[in-house]
Amino acid sequence: MIKTIPALAALALLAACGNEPAEQPVAEVATPEPVETLPAPDQELFSVKYAEACPDEKPVNTAVCKRSGMGSPDVVCEFGLGDDEYLRNKATLTAGEGEWTFADPENVCVG
């Protein structure tokens, strides 16, 4: 009787090998369409936009742009002009048709 227990265990293991579940079909996942996004505005882009909007002003010396809120199309840029290294001024850029534009173009120029 003692010899039959290992033989029964081996037989049970062999029987279990044939009971694997069939592979489930893999559902196709739709690939999302790529979304064109504007590059984040940096000091160089802000400097160009400011020079276009305010040609009589001093050039931008320093600028830092940050999103105004999660999911917002607006970016708030703080900047300094000429020799000023401090971020004393603010302007808001908004995502337009393929480019950044000033949200309030009439009130962008400092002087």
Side-chain angles (χ1 to χ4, degrees), residues 46 50 64-66 74-79 89-94 101-104 107-110:
F46 181 80
Y50 189 81
V64 175
C65 299
K66 299 177 185 173
D74 295 340
V75 175
V76 176
C77 297
E78 297 181 69
F79 61 99
N89 310 295
K90 286 186 182 181
T92 302
L93 291 173
T94 189
T101 57
F102 285 108
D104 188 12
N107 296 318
V108 171
C109 302
V110 174

Side-chain angles (χ1 to χ4, degrees), residues 13-27:
L13 286 175
L14 286 175
C17 289
N19 293 334
E20 294 179 17
E23 284 189 31
Q24 298 295 324
V26 178

Side-chain angles (χ1 to χ4, degrees), residues 43 58-63 79-89 110:
Q43 180 174 332
K58 293 180 181 178
V60 173
N61 178 34
T62 185
F79 61 99
L81 299 174
D83 295 332
D84 192 0
E85 60 189 46
Y86 297 102
L87 305 172
R88 300 181 195 273
N89 310 295
V110 174

Side-chain angles (χ1 to χ4, degrees), residues 36 38 49 94-101:
E36 281 192 37
L38 292 173
K49 290 291 183 184
T94 189
E97 293 292 321
E99 69 175 338
W100 290 103
T101 57

